Amino acid sequence: MANIQQISITHLSFTYQHDTNTVLHDINVSAPLNSIIGIIGNHNAGKTTLCRVLAGIIPNMMGGDLLGDVHIGNLSPTKDWSVLNRQTDFVLQDPNSQLSGLADTVADEIAFDLLNHGVDETTIQRRVADVAAQMQLTAQLQQSPSSLSGGQLQRLAIATAIVTKPGILILDDPTSEMDPQGRADFFNWLATIKDTTIFIVSNEIDDLCEIADRLWVLVDGELVRKGTSLEVINQLNPEWQIGTPKVYQLAKLMYWSLGADLFPVNINQLRGCVHDQHSN
Amino acid sequence: MKENGIENKGNRFNMWKIHLSVATVTLIPAAVGINYVAKAFAEGLKLPLWLGSLGTYLASMLAGPTAGAISGFINNIIYGLTLSPVSTVYSITSIAIGIVVGVLFNRGWFSNAKRVFVSAILIALTSAIISTPLNVIFWGGQTGIPWGDALFATMIGNHINIWIASFTDEFVLDILDKVVVAYIAFFIYRQLPQRMINYFKDNQ
Amino acid sequence: MEIRDNSLSNIAKIRWYNLIDPVTKLLVALFLTMLSFVFTNLYFEVSLVLISFVLLLLSRLSSATINAVYFCLFLIVTMILIQGLFYSGNVHPLFSIMNITFYREGALYAVTMSARILIIIFAIGFFMSTTTISENAKYLEAIGLPYKLVYLLMSVCYILPQIQQNMKKIQFAERARGINPQKTVAQKVRSILPILIPLIIKTFDQSINRSITLQLRGFDSPERTLATPKYHYVRARFNHYLLSFLTIFLIGCKLWQIFSRFL
């Protein structure tokens, strides 16, 4: 069952301890490794819980009734947690909780994971500088983390996660406090990452459709749609009340279809579509 | 998990290695913070109470007597280092409070309002018995709370033994404080979400 | 370019007290305190107060220390009053005002205790104003304290300002909602519960999240690089042994003083 090149989730159900509501309900899905998977859904749909299962927080730190099987490559977050944890990084919803709480400067905060893993000082210096540049935090390196704005704090949280060069990156709503420019920069940066399996929970449906290889839609703990963003957005049930990208709304209004009742969901598709319309 | 490999080379502090889970390690600072806030509230409202052990009570209830004792100890050490150096010595009292609350809670003595009252009296007794010698050594028997000290002065003025006078001064203040804190802790614990209680219970 | 500030070249100016390690500073505080307990001669106590005060003046007199003195002032004053009037060993009157006699023995006893308190405040003030949280954290880790314990101690220092912030926000929200001034203790206690409960739940939630993050971020990993101390300290280990030995010796003296009274 464990395909080395696949993420596979089979019959995954989960209920938190001392709780009667099933948070995740019989989820079956697979995707190739090193792809970007966008997870969307409304409040309390089970997005954060799914992330916790993928990161092994459930059942290693939070108990409950976990059924089914999850494999990322040949590793299982349940059984091989300590090995998997070395390759995985998680950005929590609340960036404040992401911080070690024990760093005087942004630079020390970013270095925390590397120190824990016994990386040598020269490598630490280089990686910290590198990651800070990617997250536009170079000017803040000597500041205290508590002096940062919400958006900067979220970028710091991401920086602490990517500094270890994880093979698997789980991002739980990483842009909620960023301004539009910061968010755009973040998604542009995310698209450039190679050789990393990325799970990203976000409400920024426009941005997700630009970069995600796959979208998974959760409604009340059930995985109701999975596939490319083009397939998923075109098959959304209005009852789920999930937002659609502006490109899609516009294309639908203008009847710019890609054929077979499929409307474009990102700029590239739209461009192709409008181009076709013109050449007709 | 990664519990079995903390031995650093040349570790001279192995005797300190009480098993602490990561959850307890992050709970204790929170408990200390709550002590601090509760104390600030009591001072802000000019209550004749300290309330400064609320976090210690909650830590004991959530994660057991050891966590409570450490919270109490660290609370007084940090408070002593930053605000009032002499309160450092009362860390012994705080350790005892943490242990007694944790043991009473585990034995079910925080399960209903009546039992909480009995617990509170036991906690106040423990606190007063341990604090009295400290008061005598450092302050000649006073507690620093005006109306308690007025009582103390009256008793000393009437040639009552200093130990009895000091114990009375401390116990009168303790009984009120510990009863109120016990009820607040009892009430708050019941408001905590079940997942929170489980998390600390599972990760001890 | 050094990004992480842990090299000596980045420190502008090294003062004399930077050459003494934090543990030695704490042991000095302990040693002075024990000295004041063993030798209760008034002149000796006063000179100890002066020594610790000079120590503080030669380093930095921070406002925290002044606050601590202020904090104890009420107690010191009432202590002198109560003991001067009612101390059980009172024999020689010092002065009398309207039939109330103030005695020498009690006053002396109270002054000795006050001196002891001032010594503790000044000696700890010296430790506090000449070290920083990160310096202490690095040093404790470097001398072999498990990182978990270092984290525990230091995060308390970091969490207090955070909690104060949360408290201000909630107080502000509550004030906006409007709370009537309360009169009885029970009413007052009840009035703080609506503020206290959300604050406590939020604080505990943050500690749950933090404990998860720390585990995900490899906290407590056996491979952790031990921190290097911030300064190069002079004779740290020798100082620790010497001061520990002297302090233990003084504790022994004190115990002997107490027990010999019963012999």
Side-chain angles (χ1 to χ4, degrees):
Chain A
M1 203 199 307
N3 184 329
I4 306 175
Q5 290 308 319
Q6 287 251 310
I7 302 146
S8 65
I9 300 178
T10 39
H11 298 297
L12 172 69
S13 294
F14 181 73
T15 313
Y16 283 103
Q17 206 173 9
H18 299 282
D19 196 2
T20 44
N21 298 336
T22 308
V23 186
L24 297 176
H25 194 83
D26 197 27
I27 291 178
N28 290 285
V29 66
S30 65
L33 280 185
N34 300 333
S35 49
I36 300 179
I37 296 158
I39 301 171
I40 56 175
N42 289 322
H43 192 58
N44 281 337
K47 296 170 291 181
T48 296
T49 306
L50 182 58
C51 289
R52 285 178 179 158
V53 173
L54 291 167
I57 295 171
I58 293 168
N60 290 295
M61 289 168 239
M62 287 179 162
D65 192 9
L66 182 71
L67 299 172
D69 184 67
V70 178
H71 266 89
I72 300 176
N74 55 357
L75 295 171
S76 145
T78 327
K79 292 169 203 118
D80 317 301
W81 184 71
S82 54
V83 183
L84 189 84
N85 189 35
R86 290 296 304 266
Q87 305 170 17
T88 310
D89 267 300
F90 193 128
V91 175
L92 286 105
Q93 227 167 355
D94 167 24
N96 266 311
S97 315
Q98 181 87 19
L99 305 184
S100 68
L102 196 58
D104 287 332
T105 62
V106 168
D108 281 347
E109 185 64 58
I110 301 176
F112 184 71
D113 295 58
L114 298 175
L115 279 174
N116 286 340
H117 293 132
V119 177
D120 66 278
E121 189 60 36
T122 13
T123 319
I124 292 182
Q125 300 276 357
R126 189 165 42 77
R127 291 247 211 117
V128 169
D130 212 30
V131 167
Q134 286 180 49
M135 285 295 124
Q136 297 167 14
L137 287 168
T138 309
Q140 283 78 32
L141 274 175
Q142 296 307 323
Q143 287 179 20
S144 157
S146 58
S147 70
L148 300 185
S149 70
Q152 287 173 325
L153 216 50
Q154 279 190 318
R155 292 206 299 264
L156 174 58
I158 297 161
T160 64
I162 59 172
V163 75
T164 58
K165 300 190 173 164
I168 303 153
L169 188 57
I170 301 166
L171 305 156
D172 190 356
D173 207 357
T175 61
S176 58
E177 288 175 38
M178 290 188 193
D179 55 34
Q181 184 58 47
R183 202 164 57 227
D185 291 343
F186 167 76
F187 279 100
N188 287 338
W189 167 82
L190 199 63
T192 64
I193 294 195
K194 302 234 156 51
D195 300 324
T196 308
T197 305
I198 297 170
F199 298 94
I200 172 167
V201 170
S202 180
N203 294 320
E204 307 301 333
I205 191 76
D206 291 89
D207 296 303
L208 277 185
C209 288
E210 293 294 335
I211 60 143
D213 299 305
R214 308 259 158 165
L215 281 187
W216 296 352
V217 185
L218 285 171
V219 173
D220 294 331
E222 287 187 49
L223 187 73
V224 289
R225 283 288 179 273
K226 57 197 174 191
T228 64
S229 46
L230 182 67
E231 294 162 2
V232 167
I233 298 295
N234 277 283
Q235 294 168 14
L236 285 178
N237 184 334
E239 280 174 25
W240 300 334
Q241 299 189 329
I242 287 167
T244 50
K246 296 219 168 48
V247 169
Y248 172 81
Q249 293 169 14
L250 176 73
K252 224 175 164 183
L253 280 172
M254 306 299 288
Y255 293 107
W256 290 334
S257 111
L258 290 163
D261 250 1
L262 280 179
F263 291 98
V265 298
N266 60 30
I267 302 281
N268 257 338
Q269 290 166 3
L270 181 71
R271 205 174 279 141
C273 179
V274 173
H275 187 76
D276 285 351
Q277 296 264 331
H278 277 277
S279 49
N280 286 344
Chain B
M1 277 191 248
K2 298 175 180 176
E3 297 295 356
N4 44 1
I6 343 172
E7 290 94 348
N8 285 322
K9 309 122 226 160
N11 191 338
R12 295 190 284 127
F13 289 88
N14 275 333
M15 59 178 179
W16 289 25
K17 226 173 80 182
I18 312 163
H19 177 84
L20 283 177
S21 74
V22 181
T24 312
V25 167
T26 55
L27 173 69
I28 290 169
V32 173
I34 291 166
N35 282 343
Y36 182 85
V37 169
K39 203 174 155 70
F41 270 121
E43 281 163 12
L45 285 172
K46 302 205 164 45
L47 290 174
L49 310 160
W50 298 293
L51 303 186
S53 53
L54 180 61
T56 307
Y57 273 62
L58 289 169
S60 287
M61 292 158 92
L62 283 168
T66 324
I70 299 174
S71 305
F73 177 70
I74 293 189
N75 175 63
N76 279 59
I77 295 289
I78 300 292
Y79 195 77
L81 287 179
T82 52
L83 291 166
S84 123
V86 183
S87 80
T88 315
V89 293
Y90 294 96
S91 53
I92 308 168
T93 315
S94 296
I95 292 175
I97 293 174
I99 293 173
V100 173
V101 173
V103 170
L104 287 171
F105 182 82
N106 286 342
R107 303 242 161 126
W109 284 94
F110 270 87
S111 55
N112 61 46
K114 272 183 203 158
R115 286 186 155 208
V116 171
F117 190 73
V118 179
S119 300
I121 290 179
L122 283 172
I123 297 160
L125 263 176
T126 315
S127 168
I129 287 171
I130 296 175
S131 299
T132 303
L134 298 172
N135 292 340
V136 173
I137 294 171
F138 283 90
W139 307 104
Q142 288 177 238
T143 53
I145 305 291
W147 59 279
D149 283 349
L151 187 70
F152 173 77
T154 322
M155 290 175 81
I156 290 283
N158 287 308
H159 305 290
I160 291 172
N161 181 291
I162 182 171
W163 292 90
I164 295 172
S166 179
F167 181 82
T168 313
D169 178 355
E170 177 74 34
F171 186 67
V172 170
L173 297 170
D174 257 338
I175 192 85
L176 184 59
D177 182 58
K178 299 301 177 283
V179 168
V180 172
V181 176
Y183 276 106
I184 297 180
F186 168 68
F187 182 75
I188 289 177
Y189 185 83
R190 297 210 299 187
Q191 311 278 317
L192 294 180
Q194 192 62 38
R195 63 173 170 83
M196 198 171 261
I197 293 169
N198 291 332
Y199 184 83
F200 289 113
K201 203 185 278 167
D202 294 348
N203 286 283
Q204 262 178 48
Chain C
M1 186 187 76
E2 284 286 327
I3 299 170
R4 298 201 318 120
D5 173 31
N6 52 7
S7 70
L8 279 174
S9 58
N10 280 3
I11 294 150
K13 194 176 172 193
I14 296 175
R15 308 286 296 266
W16 68 271
Y17 50 77
N18 294 140
L19 299 175
I20 306 168
D21 66 280
V23 173
T24 300
K25 285 174 188 165
L26 271 182
L27 285 170
V28 165
L30 199 61
F31 174 67
L32 288 175
T33 310
M34 275 322 295
L35 264 184
S36 74
F37 268 101
V38 175
F39 304 102
T40 47
N41 176 294
L42 184 65
Y43 294 110
F44 186 76
E45 295 279 350
V46 171
S47 49
L48 276 183
V49 172
L50 287 177
I51 290 172
S52 49
F53 187 63
V54 167
L55 204 59
L56 201 59
L57 285 183
L58 285 176
S59 48
R60 271 174 54 208
L61 185 61
S62 67
S63 59
T65 311
I66 298 165
N67 285 342
V69 174
Y70 179 73
F71 197 81
C72 293
L73 220 54
F74 167 78
L75 253 167
I76 289 176
V77 170
T78 55
M79 201 157 69
I80 294 174
L81 266 177
I82 291 179
Q83 301 296 346
L85 296 173
F86 309 124
Y87 181 57
S88 57
N90 280 348
V91 182
H92 301 97
L94 201 63
F95 58 85
S96 296
I97 311 165
M98 304 194 302
N99 288 339
I100 301 168
T101 319
F102 199 78
Y103 291 93
R104 246 185 79 179
E105 286 80 3
L108 203 68
Y109 174 59
V111 169
T112 313
M113 277 190 297
S114 311
R116 203 173 283 153
I117 287 154
L118 290 176
I119 293 165
I120 298 175
I121 293 174
F122 292 150
I124 287 182
F126 171 66
F127 166 77
M128 286 307 289
S129 54
T130 59
T131 58
T132 60
I133 300 174
S134 69
E135 182 193 350
N136 295 338
K138 280 176 181 154
Y139 187 70
L140 287 177
E141 197 188 349
I143 62 169
L145 197 70
Y147 188 63
K148 241 184 199 171
L149 283 179
V150 177
Y151 181 87
L152 182 56
L153 286 171
M154 298 307 143
S155 60
V156 174
C157 303
Y158 279 100
I159 207 172
L160 289 182
Q162 267 180 30
I163 290 202
Q164 263 177 317
Q165 266 179 1
N166 285 352
M167 188 163 75
K168 269 186 205 139
K169 271 184 217 161
I170 292 176
Q171 270 177 327
F172 187 75
E174 285 295 318
R175 211 169 292 149
R177 218 186 290 165
I179 296 178
N180 303 325
Q182 309 293 333
K183 286 190 186 101
T184 68
V185 172
Q187 278 175 333
K188 280 181 178 173
V189 169
R190 224 171 287 149
S191 77
I192 60 171
L193 285 178
I195 313 172
L196 216 47
I197 293 173
L199 182 70
I200 287 174
I201 292 181
K202 192 174 174 194
T203 310
F204 282 152
D205 250 332
Q206 277 174 349
S207 48
I208 289 179
N209 284 333
R210 182 150 286 166
S211 91
I212 291 171
T213 314
L214 287 175
Q215 292 175 69
L216 294 175
R217 294 183 68 184
F219 168 84
D220 213 16
S221 141
E223 306 138 21
R224 188 179 155 82
T225 319
L226 289 184
T228 38
K230 192 166 178 180
Y231 302 101
H232 183 74
Y233 302 112
V234 179
R235 286 180 175 268
R237 196 157 281 207
F238 172 76
N239 289 340
H240 297 172
Y241 284 127
L242 181 71
L243 285 165
S244 308
F245 173 78
L246 289 174
T247 308
I248 290 168
F249 178 74
L250 287 175
I251 292 173
C253 288
K254 187 70 205 175
L255 288 177
W256 174 249
Q257 279 179 6
I258 294 168
F259 284 126
S260 60
R261 248 184 264 162
F262 297 105
L263 291 176

